[in-house]
Amino acid sequence: MNRNFVFEKFILLYLPWIISLIFASQPTVSYFIAWSGSFFIFFMTLTGQIVPLPDDRSFANQIMRPVILVQIIFAGYMCCTSIFYFMSLLGYNNFESTPFFLPDPYKLELAAKCQRYYCLGHAAMISGILMVMRYPQQPKYKVQPEKLSKMLYYATILSFPMSVIFLKIDGLAQFANQFSSLSFMASALGLAFAIPQKKVLNIIVCFIFYALNFYSAMVSGFKEPIILSVMVLGLFLYPVYKRIVLLIFIPVMLLLFLVLPTYVSVIRQNSWGGGQNASDATSEALDAAINQGANADEGTWYFLVNRLSEIDMFSGYIESTPEKIGYYHLALVEQSITVLVPRIFWPSKPVTEQLVMKRVYDSGVINPFSTVSAKPAFIVDAYLSWGGLGVFVFLFLYGVAAQSISQKAEWLFGGYTLGTALVFSGLFQIFWRGLSFEFILNNVVWGYISMLILAHILRRARIIELA
């Protein structure tokens, strides 16, 4: 990969945002320019038009790197899913226009403004990634090929019980999430390695732990972990079984988007509020999702409009800030730093969820008496800090952080497979989702420390050694 890049090319990433600003007085036109602009950014970056993609591996064998997967999941969810909400503002229901519908100009203007920020954030985030992306680089450590499958096997076995242990220790629950994600990635990657090698024992063990993680996702009451569980396994198997993955996993993903809205709604109602045990709630939710029948279209459209995207909530934040509530500037960053102290050392530490929800309630986006948790996305916190400037600066730093940590992981763990595919994707999966500042900083800082500790343990065990 040529490390030299032309800075002028980066301006191309911001053209859709600039053009959408020019048409700001025409909200519908401005929205579609900004929305389609993200697809333009995807094309320009994933085809290497701005900076050449790394040439040390084929495209299929480097999907987990930030320039590809973090960008597709994070920016794809942030920027592209709002189309259904905007269609509803234009009077569409189940993809059919409503006769004599009069759109609300104010809501259209707010949605267009949100989409322009999404487009700016996408451009800034990928700029941060590309600015620091350096491949190939010589890892400081290496792992012998014959030890790789064994390493994944033991990582699968050990990480799941570690997550359970940390969950049981008061004040260390934040580490449970890291090891839970690591267990999920290790089991999926272990399966992808064991299946082509036809190692029966490894396949059985990795499948058991993958199934345990998938069951945890099923009973969680959230759509995201279920979708990610299927998607990640498909991504790991894709380099070896391209045709099978395309024929099976793509239809499965589409099916999940159709049935999960009903499934999650039922399991939350029965398990969260109804006192039903997880097993019974899951069974009932599956039956409801499979037999939703005539209500499928209505339920799916409601999900696409109101739940798939967060643009409606973003509109509420833009309404309140800075007109009613001033920008937070560095207050959210300072608050995020206080959250870093583990509760085991600070038992009276404020509850992170409550800290985050305070600004949600103050903005009026959610009623304080509501049981809904509507934590602001990363781009929302960036906007609340400094408006458009905050979106640019914080999203740029977001991209820099994701890419730098991924490269550090490859340097520490002997390359892409253990470094990015396992450790980075396992410990820093939060980069895919882009949650509030407090959750992002806490996860990244302690994930980085966990990564260094894990590298030290593997060196002591002589699983990885100096290159």
Side-chain angles (χ1 to χ4, degrees):
M1 173 185 171
N2 184 5
R3 295 188 178 187
N4 299 318
F5 49 77
V6 181
F7 283 98
E8 288 78 4
K9 286 187 176 182
F10 282 78
I11 298 175
L12 295 174
L13 299 174
Y14 297 87
L15 279 181
W17 172 67
I18 294 171
I19 297 173
S20 68
L21 278 178
I22 295 173
F23 287 92
S25 60
Q26 303 177 49
T28 301
V29 176
S30 180
Y31 169 86
F32 279 108
I33 292 174
W35 181 76
S36 60
S38 283
F39 293 96
F40 171 76
I41 294 172
F42 281 130
F43 173 78
M44 295 297 289
T45 54
L46 296 180
T47 57
Q49 302 297 313
I50 307 299
V51 174
L53 289 179
D55 56 9
D56 58 331
R57 304 176 70 90
S58 67
F59 186 90
N61 283 285
Q62 59 175 314
I63 287 178
M64 308 301 287
R65 280 174 171 163
V67 68
I68 301 176
L69 192 64
V70 171
Q71 181 188 191
I72 290 176
I73 296 180
F74 175 74
Y77 175 77
M78 176 177 69
C79 304
C80 303
T81 56
S82 64
I83 184 64
F84 305 105
Y85 174 82
F86 197 79
M87 288 175 65
S88 72
L89 294 183
L90 294 176
Y92 283 83
N93 183 37
N94 283 329
F95 302 99
E96 296 180 357
S97 61
T98 304
F100 310 111
F101 182 86
L102 294 177
D104 185 335
Y106 180 64
K107 287 188 175 182
L108 289 176
E109 184 178 348
L110 279 177
K113 192 172 184 179
C114 290
Q115 195 64 39
R116 291 195 294 270
Y117 283 129
Y118 285 150
C119 187
L120 172 62
H122 186 180
M125 185 268 290
I126 194 61
S127 295
I129 290 176
L130 296 178
M131 285 285 188
V132 298
M133 188 172 70
R134 299 289 186 271
Y135 297 105
Q137 54 179 331
Q138 183 63 36
K140 183 177 181 179
Y141 301 95
K142 65 181 180 180
V143 56
Q144 298 297 336
E146 62 271 13
K147 293 183 179 180
L148 189 55
S149 295
K150 185 181 294 186
M151 162 64 191
L152 293 172
Y153 177 76
Y154 286 115
T156 301
I157 294 175
L158 296 176
S159 52
F160 186 85
M162 286 295 292
S163 69
V164 176
I165 292 173
F166 278 119
L167 191 62
K168 300 295 184 182
I169 301 176
D170 291 337
L172 294 181
Q174 63 193 52
F175 294 100
N177 294 328
Q178 294 179 5
F179 279 90
S180 177
S181 296
L182 190 63
S183 171
F184 158 57
M185 298 302 297
S187 60
L189 188 57
L191 267 178
F193 265 77
I195 291 174
Q197 296 174 356
K198 299 180 180 179
K199 294 184 176 180
V200 178
L201 179 60
N202 289 34
I203 292 174
I204 293 173
V205 171
C206 290
F207 179 78
I208 289 173
F209 282 98
Y210 177 83
L212 288 172
N213 282 288
F214 187 76
Y215 178 76
S216 297
M218 290 285 288
V219 301
S220 68
F222 296 98
K223 299 176 289 293
E224 180 187 87
I226 302 174
I227 293 173
L228 290 180
S229 296
V230 177
M231 183 194 71
V232 168
L233 181 59
L235 290 175
F236 282 149
L237 290 173
Y238 178 73
V240 181
Y241 303 105
K242 292 183 176 66
R243 182 174 298 180
I244 295 176
V245 168
L246 292 176
L247 290 176
I248 295 178
F249 279 85
I250 291 180
V252 169
M253 291 294 291
L254 293 174
L255 179 63
L256 287 176
F257 275 100
L258 289 174
V259 302
L260 280 181
T262 301
Y263 173 83
V264 168
S265 176
V266 173
I267 201 169
R268 287 180 179 180
Q269 180 180 353
N270 293 346
S271 182
W272 290 9
Q276 202 173 40
N277 65 61
S279 179
D280 292 340
T282 302
S283 178
E284 188 171 328
L286 282 173
D287 290 339
I290 295 172
N291 300 312
Q292 56 186 328
N295 295 323
D297 291 339
E298 181 180 351
T300 301
W301 179 253
Y302 178 85
F303 165 72
L304 293 174
V305 170
N306 298 291
R307 303 301 297 275
L308 182 61
S309 170
E310 298 181 349
I311 190 171
D312 188 32
M313 286 190 291
F314 195 5
S315 298
Y317 289 109
I318 289 180
E319 277 188 291
S320 63
T321 305
E323 283 74 15
K324 300 176 183 177
I325 302 173
Y327 291 126
Y328 287 85
H329 300 304
L330 290 177
L332 299 185
V333 176
E334 294 170 356
Q335 185 167 276
S336 301
I337 294 174
T338 65
V339 172
L340 292 177
V341 182
R343 191 170 298 279
I344 194 171
F345 301 119
W346 184 10
S348 61
K349 184 179 79 170
V351 178
T352 307
E353 177 93 7
Q354 294 176 358
L355 289 176
V356 174
M357 291 303 292
K358 184 180 185 303
R359 58 183 176 271
V360 179
Y361 299 144
D362 289 346
S363 68
V365 172
I366 296 293
N367 190 300
F369 298 102
S370 172
T371 58
V372 175
S373 176
K375 294 179 288 293
F378 187 86
I379 191 171
V380 172
D381 275 353
Y383 170 81
L384 293 177
S385 297
W386 260 296
L389 177 62
V391 170
F392 173 77
V393 171
F394 285 110
L395 267 295
F396 179 84
L397 294 176
Y398 189 95
V400 169
Q403 180 61 34
S404 300
I405 294 173
S406 174
Q407 288 179 175
K408 180 70 171 182
E410 293 196 18
W411 185 77
L412 282 173
F413 294 93
Y416 169 82
T417 302
L418 286 186
T420 289
L422 177 61
V423 176
F424 174 75
S425 299
L427 294 179
F428 302 94
Q429 206 173 99
I430 198 166
F431 278 121
W432 299 0
R433 306 194 291 273
L435 299 179
S436 310
F437 278 9
E438 291 88 346
F439 292 102
I440 286 284
L441 187 61
N442 183 70
N443 189 286
V444 169
V445 168
W446 287 107
Y448 197 86
I449 293 173
S450 298
M451 179 177 73
L452 297 179
I453 294 173
L454 181 60
H456 177 74
I457 293 173
L458 293 181
R459 290 197 300 271
R460 293 294 299 270
R462 297 185 179 180
I463 295 176
I464 57 176
E465 53 193 34
L466 283 172

